[in-house]
Amino acid sequence: MSEPFFDWLHAPLRRPDAAAAAEAAARQAQLTKPAGSLGRLEALAIRLAGLQGTPRPRLDRVHIAVFAADHGVVAEGVSAYPQAVTAEMLRNFAHGGAAIAVLARLHAATLEVVDLGTVVPPGPLPGVLDRRIAPGTRNLAREPAMTHEQLGRALAAGAESVARAHAAGARLYIGGEMGIGNTTASAALAAALLDQPAAALVGPGTGVDAAGLQRKRAAVESALARARTTDPLAALREFGGFELAALSGAYLAAAQHGLPVLVDGFIASVAALAGLRLQPALADWLLYAHCSAEPGHRRVLAALGAEPLLDLGLRLGEASGAAVALPLLRMACALHDEMATFADAGVSRA
């Protein structure tokens, strides 16, 4: 795909600041603790130092964006919930009742919700941006999910979200999603990109029964038989959703701006996989929050070479798993910044 509205995806990514990371590593070596005794918390602080370009990273300003859209593949009977739930959840986000709304308040994080195309228009809602592309994607089991133009708009919506976060001084970006049917789309996209069979990636999603799970597998198998491709943009257009494409675009834009990303669960990780296939250097900017209970997530994490922070059996989406992991990153930064050095404390070293 060489259309001009895809050109920005290939713009150079920022490089982590090696000098800041080295200075942070030197500070870690001077803190009042045995070397390495804080385990991955030490490595996280050093890595964030390189990503933020400062030897003392901070996570006081966090931007959470939740992209919402519906999926035509729901016509195949792949979900335990009707598509009206997507718009209903937008109202729940707006009124503060969703899990991510609670967690964003808890963490004093900025939360924006972006409607990219629900089947049922939710109407004007506080805190919900109207960026509707279409009333959901088409049925990926039978035809391409998106047109080229729709894919370009969805990718750009993610980049625009990052631009807002960057302009507001965010130090960390978290992307989430909401869309009935999107675990089916994610499984199809992952199966295509990883060249794996449908059965390896399809899981229960919202909690379908055995018959529903079989319908999901059949839908993904039909999609792969129709148009198997490992090209990331072609795969996003054939199998993805507006919210999946927006997440891929957001991750690439974050790396272009030099903004670290905390990746959520299965769906967000599949979007990251698509972004990495476009620009492998994106890997430098992605931290992985948790391992989802969705079975395909472990395969995707393995393909990404990712080491998630948590494994709590979560499978809600909405960026909720990333928000749950956020305190670990904040603790890593606080320990790195506020612990005394041996010299400060007058503590003898071995």
Side-chain angles (χ1 to χ4, degrees):
M1 296 182 186
S2 58
E3 289 87 343
F5 50 73
F6 292 114
D7 288 349
W8 69 270
L9 296 168
H10 305 286
L13 309 184
R14 293 275 295 273
R15 294 183 178 180
D17 187 329
E23 192 171 341
R27 174 173 172 76
Q28 279 287 330
Q30 298 296 319
L31 298 180
T32 48
K33 57 180 175 58
S37 59
L38 286 174
R40 290 181 64 192
L41 294 178
E42 298 182 16
L44 286 168
I46 294 167
R47 187 172 175 196
L48 284 166
L51 297 179
Q52 292 189 354
T54 174
R56 296 200 181 188
R58 296 169 58 192
L59 292 176
D60 52 331
R61 293 191 297 273
V62 175
H63 188 96
I64 303 172
V66 178
F67 302 99
D70 275 313
H71 296 259
V73 74
V74 168
E76 303 294 320
V78 299
S79 177
Y81 291 88
Q83 283 188 302
V85 168
T86 306
E88 290 166 358
M89 282 302 298
L90 286 179
R91 298 187 188 99
N92 195 25
F93 292 139
H95 297 141
I100 191 57
V102 173
L103 292 167
R105 285 197 302 273
L106 179 66
H107 298 323
T110 299
L111 174 63
E112 70 170 21
V113 181
V114 185
D115 179 9
L116 297 174
T118 55
V119 168
V120 179
L125 292 169
V128 178
L129 301 177
D130 184 352
R131 298 294 186 271
R132 294 173 59 81
I133 297 168
T137 54
R138 296 176 296 191
N139 185 349
L140 62 87
R142 304 177 185 275
E143 59 184 324
M146 288 176 260
T147 66
H148 287 80
E149 189 265 344
Q150 288 172 340
L151 174 59
R153 289 177 63 187
L155 289 161
E160 291 161 5
S161 171
V162 168
R164 290 189 292 271
H166 185 259
R171 299 180 190 271
L172 182 75
Y173 183 88
I174 295 173
E177 39 61 41
M178 174 62 210
I180 298 301
N182 63 8
T183 56
T184 303
S186 299
L189 179 58
L193 293 175
L194 299 177
D195 195 23
Q196 293 283 321
L201 277 304
V202 173
T206 52
V208 293
D209 58 15
L213 187 60
Q214 183 54 44
R215 289 192 295 271
K216 287 183 74 170
R217 287 176 180 162
V220 173
E221 287 166 355
S222 294
L224 297 174
R226 178 184 58 74
R228 190 139 202 167
T229 177
T230 57
D231 176 83
L233 288 179
L236 277 168
R237 186 175 70 84
E238 293 285 352
F239 313 120
F242 298 147
E243 76 277 45
L244 274 158
L247 285 168
S248 296
Y251 298 152
L252 287 164
Q256 290 166 353
H257 282 286
L259 181 59
V261 172
L262 183 58
V263 179
D264 192 36
F266 175 57
I267 294 162
S269 296
V270 174
L273 178 64
L276 282 159
R277 292 295 175 87
L278 284 165
Q279 292 225 49
L282 174 60
D284 289 339
W285 295 92
L286 304 181
L287 302 163
Y288 294 89
H290 73 111
C291 182
S292 168
E294 189 68 10
H297 196 199
R298 292 186 186 276
R299 287 182 180 267
V300 174
L301 290 171
L304 292 165
E307 190 177 3
L309 298 173
L310 301 172
D311 189 348
L312 297 175
L314 306 174
R315 57 181 181 87
L316 175 59
E318 303 177 5
S320 57
V324 168
L326 176 59
L328 286 176
L329 298 184
R330 282 181 162 163
M331 284 187 282
C333 291
L335 290 164
H336 178 76
D337 184 52
E338 298 176 27
M339 281 185 69
T341 64
F342 284 100
D344 293 335
V347 174
S348 300
R349 303 186 66 174

